[in-house]
Amino acid sequence: MRHHVGGPESEEELLARHRRYLAMPETGRGCMFAVLLGDEMVGSIAYHQRDWQEERIYETGWNVLPPYQGRGIAAAAGTALIAVVREAAGQPDRPRHLHAFPSVENAPSNALCNRLGFTLLGACDFEYPVGSGTLMHSNDWRLDLADSAPPSRGHGETR
Ligand SMILES: CC(C)(COP(=O)(O)OP(=O)(O)OC[C@H]1O[C@@H](n2cnc3c(N)ncnc32)[C@H](O)[C@@H]1OP(=O)(O)O)[C@@H](O)C(=O)NCCC(=O)NCCS
């Protein structure tokens, strides 16, 4: 699960991460969602605000547990997430763009960006997790939240 996103973390780092996620909604700058299949939690998906190349943006990231991958779950969660972020972006002084930064080698995540209608701007390097000293070579994918056009291509119904 962590192969393309900085590797495994210690129990302490995971707990600190979990506390940050729990605190996100209060900040009004983002939210972490559980992805449910029926009553079962099979993944997570989030958005939050950050600064990127002198612009305030929204960033998203996603996880689906291995037994559930390849079934369109991230595509469905991503579609739902984009609707939530579009609504949040409708408020005054909110970012206009949603970005995703998958590692250039993360084939499923790059395919997902394409599937969800993001545009590939190019490759970039940045530190992830912040403060880790680990540099990720990532693709910068961007979705214009003011553009209500659906993804350029689809594969039938999302589930
Ligand atoms: C990225 C991830 C969330 C995708 O979840 P998923 O539910 O398996 O994705 P979906 O089934 O909705 O498929 C999304 C796209 O990925 C493609 N895909 C899925 N598994 C793939 C694989 N192993 N190799 C290449 N493409 C793959 C699908 O074909 C689909 O693309 P398409 O619409 O062009 O056919 C999942 O692989 C994951 O959790 N990875 C580990 C964590 C991670 O790296 N997160 C991303 C951080 S940026």
Side-chain angles (χ1 to χ4, degrees):
M1 287 297 291
R2 304 287 302 170
H3 181 68
H4 293 296
V5 280
E9 294 184 323
S10 67
E11 187 72 10
E12 198 176 297
E13 287 167 326
L14 282 175
L15 287 171
R17 177 179 290 283
H18 190 62
R19 279 191 285 271
R20 286 199 302 278
Y21 290 163
L22 291 177
M24 273 166 75
E26 281 170 29
T27 67
R29 297 157 82 87
C31 192
M32 171 65 69
F33 298 95
V35 176
L36 300 179
L37 185 65
D39 291 337
E40 199 170 356
M41 185 180 157
V42 298
S44 61
I45 190 163
Y47 76 96
H48 67 275
Q49 291 185 29
R50 66 172 287 178
D51 293 325
W52 176 245
Q53 295 178 340
E54 297 175 22
E55 185 190 342
R56 176 52 61 103
I57 63 163
Y58 288 111
E59 179 181 356
T60 182
W62 33 58
N63 293 278
V64 169
L65 295 172
Y68 302 96
Q69 290 176 5
R71 294 160 54 171
I73 292 174
T79 301
L81 190 275
I82 288 168
V84 168
V85 183
R86 275 217 164 94
E87 198 172 326
Q91 314 282 330
D93 301 323
R94 294 288 174 87
R96 169 174 177 158
H97 294 115
L98 176 64
H99 289 243
F101 298 100
S103 161
V104 294
E105 293 172 357
N106 192 342
S109 198
N110 282 289
L112 181 61
C113 290
N114 188 45
R115 164 82 176 263
L116 292 172
F118 286 69
T119 300
L120 178 59
L121 300 184
C124 58
D125 288 309
F126 64 87
E127 188 187 39
Y128 185 87
V130 174
S132 67
T134 307
L135 269 192
M136 270 185 74
H137 189 47
S138 294
N139 280 324
D140 180 5
W141 290 87
R142 187 177 74 180
L143 184 80
D144 187 344
L145 296 163
D147 175 6
S148 59
S152 54
R153 63 194 191 91
H155 291 259
E157 295 296 308
T158 50
R159 286 152 279 173

